[in-house]
Amino acid sequence: DSGVTQTPKHLITATGQRVTLRCSPRSGDLSVYWYQQSLDQGLQFLIQYYNGEERAKGNILERFSAQQFPDLHSELNLSSLELGDSALYFCASTTGTGYGYTFGSGTRLTVV
Amino acid sequence: TQLLEQSPQFLSIQEGENLTVYCNSSSVFSSLQWYRQEPGEGPVLLVTVVTGGEVKKLKRLTFQFGDARKDSSLHITAAQPGDTGLYLCARTGTASKLTFGTGTRLQVTL
């Protein structure tokens, strides 16, 4: 157990639907990062939050959004899902210093 | 856009063999990290290198950061089946976000 908890582990949904992925960071970590891993694109940075505020955005689609709550857990919302959104979605947390990233086990999203 | 190229892309070797994985970029890194990812799991941090020319050892794994801080290598001595996985290099950028390399998939067989 890495200390970063992601739920659900697997998700199968239909095109056009909306899903929410949840991440609880390691205790004491203020930064949460979301990454998408697909076979053809590798691991791609989506978005970062630090202590409730958005800090950086990467290759995140407008159909996707995220937030970090006062208890520091984060949610990634994916809407109007397309087949190409099928991927592994990882959350990682750090203390904010840039070192010591800890990843969760990921959520495998399958859009059918 | 992938900023970090890893080679080889795939590597299948027998237990006991040595191997080296490379991570290259056209730009300078402030720091570089190496991760190993096993199926169904997230990447696990192996090491962080920050100084040009730095060499770090982790049991049978040796990590080297190039003098110009544009490249890095991971050498595994006497590979074991437990070393099987996807090896990823990653550089830190603005807001400490990671940019990952293309990955090297290693298979070690008995």
Side-chain angles (χ1 to χ4, degrees), chain A residues 33 35 37 45 48 101 105, chain B residues 35 37 41 95-98:
Chain A
Y33 301 76
Y35 288 83
Q37 186 175 37
F45 168 70
Q48 181 214 358
Y101 288 80
S105 297
Chain B
Y35 290 80
Q37 184 179 15
E41 298 296 329
S96 301
K97 72 177 180 70
L98 293 176

Side-chain angles (χ1 to χ4, degrees), chain B residues 29-32 48-55 64-67 69:
Chain B
F29 312 143
S30 57
S31 67
L32 187 106
T48 300
V49 286
V50 297
T51 306
E54 183 176 4
V55 177
Q64 186 158 7
F65 201 12
D67 290 339
R69 289 160 56 209

Side-chain angles (χ1 to χ4, degrees), chain B:
Chain B
T1 303
Q2 286 289 2
L3 300 177
L4 297 177
E5 292 291 331
Q6 287 186 239
S7 61
Q9 191 175 0
F10 299 100
L11 197 52
S12 182
I13 62 172
Q14 290 191 319
E15 183 180 19
E17 292 184 26
N18 301 332
L19 67 118
T20 302
V21 175
Y22 301 92
C23 175
N24 294 285
S25 173
S26 57
S27 53
V28 174
F29 312 143
S30 57
S31 67
L32 187 106
Q33 299 182 349
W34 283 95
Y35 290 80
R36 180 170 68 215
Q37 184 179 15
E38 298 183 21
E41 298 296 329
V44 175
L45 178 65
L46 297 174
V47 77
T48 300
V49 286
V50 297
T51 306
E54 183 176 4
V55 177
K56 281 192 174 179
K57 292 194 174 184
L58 186 67
K59 297 183 180 177
R60 294 176 294 100
L61 278 59
T62 301
F63 304 85
Q64 186 158 7
F65 201 12
D67 290 339
R69 289 160 56 209
K70 289 185 178 182
D71 59 274
S72 181
S73 64
L74 158 60
H75 182 79
I76 301 179
T77 303
Q80 299 177 359
D83 296 326
T84 294
L86 177 67
Y87 287 81
L88 296 158
C89 62
R91 61 179 293 177
T92 53
T94 55
S96 301
K97 72 177 180 70
L98 293 176
T99 298
F100 283 88
T102 48
T104 294
R105 196 165 295 279
L106 171 66
Q107 176 76 42
V108 182
T109 56
L110 292 170

Side-chain angles (χ1 to χ4, degrees), chain A residues 20-21 25 29 38-39 41 49 52-53 67 79 85 91 110-111:
Chain A
T20 297
L21 312 183
D29 285 355
S38 59
L39 283 175
Q41 291 292 320
Y49 279 83
E53 293 189 5
Q67 54 184 327
S79 61
D85 297 327
C91 165
T110 303
V111 182

